[in-house]
Amino acid sequence: MNHPQDDVPAGREYASKSQQDSLATLDDESLTMLLDEVIAMARTGRPLISGLADLDDASLGKVGHAAKSMRESLNQGVSASDAVAALSLQYQSPLATAMQIMMRTGSTKPMRETVRLIRQASEERRQLRLRSIGPLLNLLVGATIVFCVIPWILVTRSEAELIKTALSPTVRQICETFAMNATLAVIVTLVVVGLLALLLHGVLKTATSGIGPLKDHATFCRWLAMQISPDQVGDGAQMAAVVASAADVVSPSFANDWAPTVDRTRSGAVSKDALSVPEETPDQVAACIQHLVSGSTRPDVVALDLSQLCELFSQQY
């Protein structure tokens, strides 16, 4: 699995823009299939380039095309981490970090965790769509009844002179407008359904907003634990890189929140106040970071604590 170009300067682009554009359409299922093959290659000690060559088959569709593009990137001198990160614009950070750790340690756990992360995100999107189908159907049926069926019924009853009130002419005119103009009725129905669908989306998003922080910190703890090694005690530069890469995996906004902590860790800060940990960080996570940076607790113990925190947060969302 080793590749001569794995050590590259920080900030280098993952791949050319044309390569990124060509792979940006790789769906989650195809991406995880290819990553499973990469994991299998690492487990058996098979060279990455030769393994990708076997996947360069038109019958494999997107997977074969992505394998070919990745192999071409490696042959052009692109590092393995950059080449695999270019497989997906959405998951660049976890892909690059996982490949870097796997190349350094030989462990496939980070890449397997990336596959799990991608599948989990895909399943969450699927569940959200399924939860939205029922309410949307109810909205559609209700709007159809209000703007298409009821006007027709009222007009029919008005013509039979069964409705005799002071407001009858106005009601009748409105109902006739919808009953006689099917296009208008359909347009109004779709507009109302669309507005209510937006409201429904907002309600569902608000209902799940509390899950976000727990999920983010669970992911953060998991990726921190995977990267901690015994030789990182008291090494501010290494620990800063570990915290930065773990935060990048979560999201760009999460990484921005942790940027000051990364800078202070790199400059040698060790106390909790000096590290400037983000305010929303759980106290247990902040304590783990402080213990690790200061060297007051063995790295393997901190890694175990972080793994347990990850499990705790995961059970709560």
Side-chain angles (χ1 to χ4, degrees):
M1 288 291 295
N2 291 331
H3 191 274
Q5 298 297 327
D6 280 9
D7 296 326
V8 294
R12 176 175 174 176
E13 294 294 334
Y14 289 126
S16 67
K17 186 176 185 303
S18 61
Q19 289 172 322
Q20 288 185 348
D21 292 341
S22 66
L23 296 177
T25 57
L26 195 64
D27 58 273
D28 288 355
E29 183 178 358
S30 299
L31 177 59
T32 54
M33 287 176 61
L34 180 55
L35 294 179
D36 283 338
E37 293 297 330
V38 172
I39 292 171
M41 296 174 203
R43 283 176 174 171
T44 59
R46 187 176 186 186
L48 183 57
I49 292 181
S50 62
L52 291 172
D54 291 340
L55 296 176
D56 185 3
D57 189 333
S59 64
L60 295 178
K62 292 181 179 180
V63 175
H65 172 67
K68 177 182 178 181
S69 297
M70 186 176 173
R71 181 169 57 86
E72 290 175 348
S73 297
L74 292 173
N75 287 330
Q76 292 170 4
V78 176
S79 70
S81 59
D82 291 350
V84 75
L87 292 174
S88 171
L89 298 179
Q90 182 178 358
Y91 300 106
Q92 278 191 346
S93 291
L95 287 171
T97 302
M99 180 59 79
Q100 289 168 359
I101 299 173
M102 189 169 72
M103 302 297 288
R104 184 176 68 249
T105 65
S107 171
T108 60
K109 183 178 179 180
M111 192 61 73
R112 286 186 281 112
E113 172 57 29
T114 302
V115 171
R116 189 202 64 80
L117 184 150
I118 295 171
R119 286 176 173 155
Q120 181 185 42
S122 180
E123 178 63 18
E124 289 174 352
R125 289 193 296 269
R126 189 182 73 85
Q127 290 296 330
L128 181 61
R129 288 195 295 269
L130 290 176
R131 288 197 297 267
S132 302
I133 289 176
L136 286 176
L137 287 177
N138 291 335
L139 290 175
L140 180 60
V141 172
T144 301
I145 292 174
V146 170
F147 295 106
C148 296
V149 178
I150 291 180
W152 177 81
I153 293 174
L154 291 177
V155 168
T156 302
R157 292 174 62 87
S158 270
E159 289 176 347
E161 297 185 352
L162 297 176
I163 302 177
K164 295 182 178 180
T165 67
L167 297 177
S168 292
T170 302
V171 172
R172 181 175 180 178
Q173 290 174 358
I174 294 174
C175 292
E176 284 180 342
T177 300
F178 286 106
M180 302 305 177
N181 192 333
T183 302
L184 177 62
V186 171
I187 291 174
V188 173
T189 298
L190 294 177
V191 169
V192 171
V193 170
L195 292 175
L196 292 177
L198 290 176
L199 177 62
L200 174 64
H201 176 75
V203 171
L204 290 175
K205 186 174 181 180
T206 301
T208 58
S209 60
I211 296 176
L214 287 173
K215 181 181 177 182
D216 289 347
H217 285 105
T219 301
F220 183 60
C221 290
R222 183 181 292 113
W223 282 82
L224 277 175
M226 284 192 297
Q227 298 183 74
I228 293 174
S229 60
D231 61 353
Q232 289 173 329
V233 178
D235 191 329
Q238 285 189 7
M239 281 312 308
V242 167
V243 173
S245 61
D248 283 338
V249 169
V250 178
S251 70
S253 60
F254 194 90
N256 288 335
D257 292 340
W258 278 87
T261 304
V262 172
D263 291 339
R264 296 193 177 199
T265 300
R266 187 177 292 111
S267 63
V270 294
S271 68
K272 184 176 179 180
D273 292 336
L275 287 172
S276 186
V277 175
E279 293 182 359
E280 65 276 10
T281 304
D283 292 339
Q284 305 95 317
V285 178
C288 285
I289 297 293
Q290 194 272 327
H291 292 162
L292 189 63
V293 173
S294 65
S296 60
T297 305
R298 283 169 32 206
D300 58 329
V301 175
V302 177
L304 178 60
D305 289 342
L306 288 169
S307 297
Q308 293 174 340
L309 285 174
C310 172
E311 293 301 323
L312 176 63
F313 296 149
S314 298
Q315 292 172 4
Q316 295 176 355
Y317 71 81

